[in-house]
Each structure stands twice: as C-alpha cells, then as structure tokens.
Amino acid sequence: MKNKEITLFYQWIEESDNIIIGSHLNPDGDNLGSLTALYHYLLKLDKNVTWYGEDSVPDDLQFLPNIKMRTTKCKEDYDLFIALDCADINRLGEGRKIFKRSNKTINIDHHKTNTNFADLNIVKDISSTGELLYQILDQGSLSLDTEIATGLFTAISSDTGSFKYDSTKAGTFFAAGHLMEYNIPINKISVNLYQKRSLAKTSLLIEAMKDVEYLNNHEIAIVMVPLDLIDKCHGKQSDTEGIVEFIRDIEPVEIAILLKERRDEVKVSIRTKSYANAISIVIPFGGGGHVRAAGATISGNLLEVKEKIKEVALKELENARNTGC
Amino acid sequence: MKNKEITLFYQWIEESDNIIIGSHLNPDGDNLGSLTALYHYLLKLDKNVTWYGEDSVPDDLQFLPNIKMRTTKCKEDYDLFIALDCADINRLGEGRKIFKRSNKTINIDHHKTNTNFADLNIVKDISSTGELLYQILDQGSLSLDTEIATGLFTAISSDTGSFKYDSTKAGTFFAAGHLMEYNIPINKISVNLYQKRSLAKTSLLIEAMKDVEYLNNHEIAIVMVPLDLIDKCHGKQSDTEGIVEFIRDIEPVEIAILLKERRDEVKVSIRTKSYANAISIVIPFGGGGHVRAAGATISGNLLEVKEKIKEVALKELENARNTGC
C-alpha cells in the first residue's frame, strides 16, 4: 500500500457525492464487516451511500450495526464504486455492470489472486480486507467510532478464525487493540460469530459426522451432506458452514473435505491444517481460494465427485510432504 | 499492580539463587504457558530453577518449549517460591509444604478470589496470568525471546478462548502484538490448542451429543457421558474436554451442562453464554469457578445428579433474567 494510493482514495471520495459500495456473492464476515465500517465512515462524511449486494446477510452477521443488504436495483450511475474483498470483478455478480458504468472505481482486497480490476487497486497480502481497510481509515482525517470499529473488528476476527490463522501478524493484533479502544461489544461479536451454532446446524453436523470417511492414516477426512440430510435436520444450505473446519480440527487430519450435494452438481470445500495446499486440490476443477481454504463446484453426483476429489487430495498430500507450503 | 510490587519482584529474584516455580493441580494453558515463560526468563538470569508440578502435562500443551513436569520430590529448601495462576495455596497440592518452607514467596495470579497467600502478592483482575506476567516481565532488564513469548502468548490465548471472552481488552491485544514480534510459531500454537481434537475425543463428542436434552425452549442443554461411552470410543476421562463449550455454542443455549460419570460420583461442568451465573449453579454442591465457567463433583449416579442440577439451573435461569451478570 503506497502513500499515493491512500491519497487518491481520499481524493476520489472527496470529489464524489454518490458512492456505491459493493458486497461479494455469498458474503462473509470479512466482507460485511468491512462494508459496515466503510458505510458508516462515508455517512460521517455526508456522502450518499448505496450498498450493493445480491445475497442475504447470514444469520451470524445480522448483529452488525445497521446491516441490511440494501438493493440489487441500482438504476442510476455513481461517481464512485468501491468493491471490498473481491478477488475479481465477477465476485460482484450482477453488480459488475454497475461497477463498469461508474465514473471511478476502487478495489480494496487482500486476496493474492486479485486481478486489479479497478481504476485504483489497493491490494495487500494481509490477514483480511478488514485489517487493510483499518490501515486505510486510520490515516484519514475522521476519527473512527464504535460502529466503524465493530465492523472492522468483526472483519478481522472472521477471516483469522479469531486470531488463530498464520495470516495473523503483530499488526493484526495492534489493529484489534486500537479498535477495542472504541468500546466495541466484544462479547456480542464473539457470541454471534462463534457461539451461535443453530439447532439445525448442530444436528446437521452430528448427523453428517456419523459417516465420516478417513483415508491415509486419517490424514484425509471426507464428509458428505446429501440434500435429504438437510431436510431431515430442518436446515438450509448455509447450515453446512463450520462442518469442514470441525473436520480439519481432528488431530491427525491434514486435509478436510466437505461435499455438499446440489442438483446435478456438488459444492466442495477444502481446509488444510499445516502443509498441504488447498488450492492445488480444487484447481483441476476450476476452483480457487487460499492455501488453507479453497472451494469448487463440480458437476456430477456425490459419489462420482468424491472419487475424483479423493484422487487429487491423495496426490496433493504426497506432493506437500515433499515440498510443504 | 504497583511499582513497589514490581521492584520487590525483581529484587527478590536478584537475591535468590535457588528458585522454585509452582504449577497448579490439573494445569491448563494459562498455568503451563506462564510457567514456561518464567522458567526461561529465570534461566536467562542464570538462576537454578526447579519446576514443581504434580500432574502430567496435557497432550495439547506438550508443544511448549522444554515443557516437562519436573519433579514432585523437592527435598531441599528454596530461597524463593513463585506460584503462578493459583487462587489459593491448596491449588499447589503437596507443593504447599515446600511453599511454606521457602525463604520468600510470591503469588502471581489473575483470579478475583485470590487469597493473597504469599509474602508478595501480585494479583490483578485481568484476562490471564499470562497477560499479568507479560506486564511484569516487560518491565524487567532482560529482553524477552521466542521461548518466553511463546509461553506468554499460549497462556493468554488459552485463557481468553483465543481472544474471544469479554475479559479480552485492548491491552490483551497489545500484549499479543508485542509477543508476536519475537517470532513465535502462531500456527503451531493454534494447531495445538485448537485444532487437535483427537479421534477418540471427536467420536465421544458425536456419540454424547446424540442424546442431548434441552429444557426451557432450548435455553438449557444437558449432555451425559456414562463411563461405558468413553470405553466405546476408545477414549479417556480427559477426552470429555470441549464438549461443554460445544453445547454452549448452540444458538439458543444460555446454560450448558455436562455430566461425567465417575465411580459413585458425577463431575459437573457448567458454561453460561451471556447472563446466567455458572457459579450459582454449583455453589449448592460445594463447587466453584467463574461467572461463565464453573464445576462441581457431586455424589450419586448420573440420573440422580441430573435431576438435582436441572432444578438449580432452571432457578438460576429465572433469577438471571431478572438481574443478569
């Protein structure tokens, strides 16, 4: 992040009246926390702010101050579009059309694979978009407040698994410490992010785990969620969240694989613990992500996809043993 | 913590050659992390350091640098005994005898209920003994190193549930940030503390959860672990750890109760989420703990104890709704 980028960021905001901020598809804590922070920051600057997002706000993030996915119908043109936490323009969904029509565009993101798709790209390999946005807003003329700090803290906490992943650096902790000084409700944030597993989600986890399959001395673990299991647990698709991390946290497991059945296709989530590369497992299927967390959507039925994934996962395990990552 | 206390701490260490540091019964991450840090600090000062501890090191803390529970046979007398994370002298077990024989004694602890049982008591209501010890060692003449920082970070992370509990303050994050600057292995620490649920522990959790019982619109959840279930899962008593937190994290649950069968008695663990007081539930049975985490050992069989606990838990839920804590 260069001084020139920061200067332009503030200059373009100053020159713009109508600003639209963009959420990505299937928004997560880093995305919605960062949007919450930027939304409140721009409101404090008396800007007209539109929040673009196509998908609904997950239950565990409904607590964010003034959160609601605002609109998918943005007819007008905007002076400035700011995309947050989007590695490429397609993460905006239909929002990419508004993005392209906007007078100026900014892309703030922490994904290594970012395609630099905007007029101004502030991209840094760091724990979270939340930490990057903190660094940016901390250099502004406005002081932060509880709402902004709550958004940023939620973003950072979400994308570091509460300060556990190795993307967590000294600066991540210093950012969190400074944000705590704005009187943020840490208990409320923690309860919402980490202690709010719904009844349906809980029974789905327990039911799915009954049929866990281990490979290679338990270094690989695979769990499947057929569509009818979700019905049986009175759950919904998003209730599969957290299962793959639960599998990863089993002691001998290095590669955790979750297969979620959809009509004619299967959504695959991969987590790795210490040395295997999650991206390598999904790349053959057109997927993407980070070294420790990646995903793909693969056509075929559950059992077919399972066999394909097993093969690639075993290969990655062998490769990673030799090289590590 | 006063300047006078810090001055005495360093003065007494300087005047002492043979120093013994004391671990408490059933040691946890805060205790063993703090001991690891102080052990390495005193070695750097060329002191003869003895580590007192009666119980074995839990699997998830074996990664701490140079950790081993040193000895229970300490015949000689010591110039200085430093107890860490002990609310009262009995937490030292048989070690209290050595404590009493020692020339000088120091008690460093963060429990509100600390009885100030030493010659010098450095007691502060703060996230962890690790954070308190960080504040003390940060004022010393020696610089910290990777081993000391790893111990302190582990202590802080353990006792805050990885920076989630409301005891986590801005200063807790700043301490963690400074410790990160000593090149500590955060991935190794996180994997050991949070991603190392053994196969036996995993199946015990899944099996025990099958018979979860909910009360009062799911605000209370009770899970029992009969002795034969542990055998069935090829587990051991300590494999029940983590189950009660798993129950607490179910969305509507305010009071989580785990009942572990022993011969002729039942060990009870309570966790509360936001407003109920865990201590109130165990006090009638002679138990103790913190507001959000408490425990007791009650004679009787599983079903008898379950009925007794249900009654008190329902009463606490009603009280807490009126008063909160």
Side-chain angles (χ1 to χ4, degrees):
Chain A
M1 194 168 52
K2 296 164 197 148
N3 281 336
K4 197 183 146 195
E5 291 170 351
I6 300 291
T7 310
L8 274 183
F9 173 84
Y10 284 109
Q11 190 183 314
W12 289 9
I13 285 174
E14 202 184 321
E15 294 165 1
S16 306
D17 290 322
N18 288 310
I19 302 178
I20 182 164
I21 56 177
S23 183
H24 64 57
L25 299 174
N26 299 313
D28 57 7
D30 189 19
N31 180 246
L32 294 180
S34 298
L35 274 144
T36 296
L38 187 56
Y39 181 76
H40 285 91
Y41 192 91
L42 295 173
L43 284 187
K44 269 183 118 174
L45 287 171
D46 284 327
K47 301 293 174 184
N48 294 324
V49 197
T50 303
W51 180 314
Y52 183 85
E54 293 177 21
D55 294 329
S56 55
V57 176
D59 288 349
D60 57 349
L61 296 165
Q62 294 280 357
F63 77 95
L64 282 166
N66 298 310
I67 185 100
K68 48 180 183 277
M69 208 54 93
R70 264 105 194 149
T71 174
T72 57
K73 290 170 195 154
C74 308
K75 297 287 179 201
E76 38 177 340
D77 290 343
Y78 294 89
D79 301 325
L80 180 61
F81 194 123
I82 306 178
L84 289 165
D85 200 42
C86 296
D88 61 66
I89 196 171
N90 292 320
R91 295 290 285 139
L92 291 168
E94 291 299 306
R96 67 184 181 281
K97 296 175 188 165
I98 307 164
F99 185 90
K100 285 177 181 167
R101 284 204 314 267
S102 297
N103 191 31
K104 283 199 170 71
T105 58
I106 301 179
N107 153 31
I108 300 176
D109 184 40
H110 74 122
H111 292 90
K112 275 186 197 170
T113 53
N114 192 288
T115 58
N116 293 318
F117 56 90
D119 299 328
L120 171 62
N121 301 287
I122 309 184
V123 177
K124 194 172 169 181
D125 183 13
I126 196 172
S127 76
S128 50
T129 296
E131 184 177 349
L132 178 54
L133 187 60
Y134 163 78
Q135 292 182 357
I136 298 169
L137 298 187
D138 192 43
Q139 295 179 55
S141 54
L142 273 190
S143 64
L144 308 188
D145 60 22
T146 304
E147 284 76 28
I148 297 168
T150 298
L152 293 173
F153 185 93
T154 301
I156 297 172
S157 177
S158 290
D159 246 30
T160 58
S162 194
F163 308 93
K164 278 188 272 190
Y165 300 160
D166 42 9
S167 57
T168 311
K169 308 291 179 201
T172 317
F173 283 108
F174 291 135
H178 286 126
L179 293 170
M180 287 289 291
E181 289 172 344
Y182 293 97
N183 201 24
I184 60 177
I186 185 166
N187 186 253
K188 189 176 167 188
I189 296 173
S190 296
V191 165
N192 276 282
L193 292 184
Y194 307 110
Q195 301 179 15
K196 222 180 148 179
R197 192 191 331 101
S198 69
L199 286 165
K201 219 168 170 174
T202 303
S203 37
L204 191 60
L205 171 68
I206 302 299
E207 290 295 323
M209 281 302 297
K210 283 181 187 168
D211 296 319
V212 58
E213 183 183 338
Y214 296 104
L215 294 177
N216 226 51
N217 286 324
H218 305 92
E219 285 177 293
I220 299 177
I222 308 180
V223 168
M224 295 191 292
V225 181
L227 277 174
D228 59 1
L229 190 62
I230 296 181
D231 293 339
K232 187 185 160 192
C233 298
H234 310 288
K236 49 187 192 295
Q237 297 285 5
S238 61
D239 289 332
T240 54
E241 267 167 38
I243 298 181
V244 71
E245 288 82 7
F246 183 87
I247 307 167
R248 176 202 57 204
D249 294 352
I250 301 172
E251 188 172 6
V253 172
E254 172 59 29
I255 301 177
I257 303 172
L258 181 69
L259 306 177
K260 295 164 279 182
E261 187 180 29
R262 298 286 192 273
R263 289 170 205 277
D264 306 323
E265 57 185 27
V266 177
K267 276 193 165 273
V268 180
S269 299
I270 310 283
R271 295 292 181 277
T272 62
K273 191 178 280 167
S274 300
Y275 57 89
N277 188 344
I279 302 176
S280 304
I281 299 170
V282 296
I283 274 184
F285 308 102
H290 302 276
V291 174
R292 298 274 166 267
T297 304
I298 307 178
S299 30
N301 68 39
L302 266 181
L303 294 178
E304 285 163 7
V305 171
K306 188 182 184 183
E307 290 312 309
K308 287 182 195 168
I309 282 284
K310 267 188 189 177
E311 200 181 313
V312 188
L314 284 165
K315 206 180 289 173
E316 169 54 22
L317 198 65
E318 200 184 318
N319 284 344
R321 274 228 198 76
N322 300 327
T323 55
C325 78
Chain B
M1 192 168 54
K2 295 165 195 145
N3 281 336
K4 197 183 147 195
E5 290 171 352
I6 299 292
T7 309
L8 273 183
F9 173 85
Y10 284 109
Q11 189 183 317
W12 288 9
I13 285 175
E14 201 184 323
E15 293 165 1
S16 306
D17 291 321
N18 287 310
I19 302 178
I20 181 165
I21 57 178
S23 183
H24 63 58
L25 299 174
N26 299 314
D28 57 7
D30 190 18
N31 180 247
L32 294 180
S34 298
L35 275 145
T36 296
L38 188 57
Y39 181 75
H40 285 92
Y41 192 92
L42 295 173
L43 284 188
K44 269 184 119 173
L45 287 170
D46 285 327
K47 300 293 174 184
N48 295 322
V49 196
T50 303
W51 181 313
Y52 182 85
E54 292 176 22
D55 294 328
S56 56
V57 176
D59 287 348
D60 58 348
L61 296 165
Q62 295 280 358
F63 77 95
L64 282 166
N66 298 311
I67 185 102
K68 47 181 185 274
M69 211 53 97
R70 263 95 194 160
T71 175
T72 57
K73 290 168 193 154
C74 310
K75 296 289 180 200
E76 38 178 338
D77 289 344
Y78 294 88
D79 301 325
L80 179 61
F81 193 123
I82 307 178
L84 289 165
D85 200 43
C86 296
D88 62 66
I89 196 171
N90 292 321
R91 294 289 286 138
L92 291 167
E94 291 299 306
R96 68 185 182 280
K97 295 174 187 164
I98 308 165
F99 185 91
K100 285 177 180 166
R101 285 204 313 267
S102 298
N103 191 29
K104 284 199 169 70
T105 58
I106 301 179
N107 152 31
I108 299 175
D109 184 40
H110 74 121
H111 291 90
K112 275 187 197 170
T113 52
N114 193 288
T115 58
N116 292 320
F117 55 90
D119 299 329
L120 171 61
N121 301 286
I122 309 184
V123 177
K124 194 171 168 181
D125 183 12
I126 195 171
S127 74
S128 51
T129 297
E131 185 178 349
L132 178 54
L133 187 60
Y134 163 78
Q135 293 182 356
I136 298 168
L137 297 187
D138 192 44
Q139 294 179 57
S141 54
L142 274 189
S143 63
L144 309 189
D145 60 22
T146 304
E147 285 74 29
I148 297 169
T150 298
L152 293 173
F153 186 93
T154 301
I156 297 172
S157 176
S158 290
D159 247 29
T160 56
S162 194
F163 307 94
K164 279 188 271 192
Y165 301 158
D166 43 8
S167 57
T168 310
K169 307 292 179 201
T172 317
F173 283 109
F174 292 135
H178 285 126
L179 293 170
M180 287 289 290
E181 290 171 343
Y182 293 97
N183 200 24
I184 59 177
I186 184 165
N187 185 253
K188 189 176 167 186
I189 296 172
S190 296
V191 166
N192 276 281
L193 292 183
Y194 307 111
Q195 302 181 13
K196 224 179 145 177
R197 191 190 332 99
S198 69
L199 286 164
K201 221 168 170 173
T202 303
S203 37
L204 190 61
L205 170 68
I206 302 298
E207 290 295 322
M209 281 301 297
K210 285 182 188 168
D211 296 320
V212 56
E213 183 183 337
Y214 295 105
L215 294 176
N216 226 51
N217 286 324
H218 305 94
E219 284 179 294
I220 299 176
I222 309 180
V223 168
M224 296 193 291
V225 181
L227 277 175
D228 58 3
L229 190 61
I230 297 181
D231 293 339
K232 186 185 161 193
C233 298
H234 310 290
K236 49 187 193 294
Q237 297 285 4
S238 61
D239 289 331
T240 54
E241 269 168 35
I243 298 181
V244 72
E245 289 81 7
F246 183 88
I247 308 167
R248 175 202 59 203
D249 294 351
I250 300 171
E251 188 171 5
V253 171
E254 172 59 28
I255 301 177
I257 303 173
L258 181 69
L259 306 177
K260 294 165 282 185
E261 187 180 31
R262 298 283 192 274
R263 290 168 204 277
D264 307 324
E265 57 185 28
V266 176
K267 276 193 166 273
V268 180
S269 298
I270 310 282
R271 295 291 180 278
T272 62
K273 190 177 279 169
S274 300
Y275 57 89
N277 188 345
I279 303 176
S280 304
I281 299 169
V282 298
I283 275 183
F285 308 102
H290 301 274
V291 174
R292 298 274 167 267
T297 304
I298 308 177
S299 34
N301 68 38
L302 267 180
L303 294 179
E304 285 164 9
V305 172
K306 189 182 183 182
E307 290 313 309
K308 287 183 194 167
I309 282 284
K310 267 187 190 179
E311 198 182 313
V312 188
L314 283 164
K315 206 180 287 171
E316 169 53 22
L317 198 64
E318 199 185 320
N319 283 345
R321 274 228 200 73
N322 300 327
T323 56
C325 79

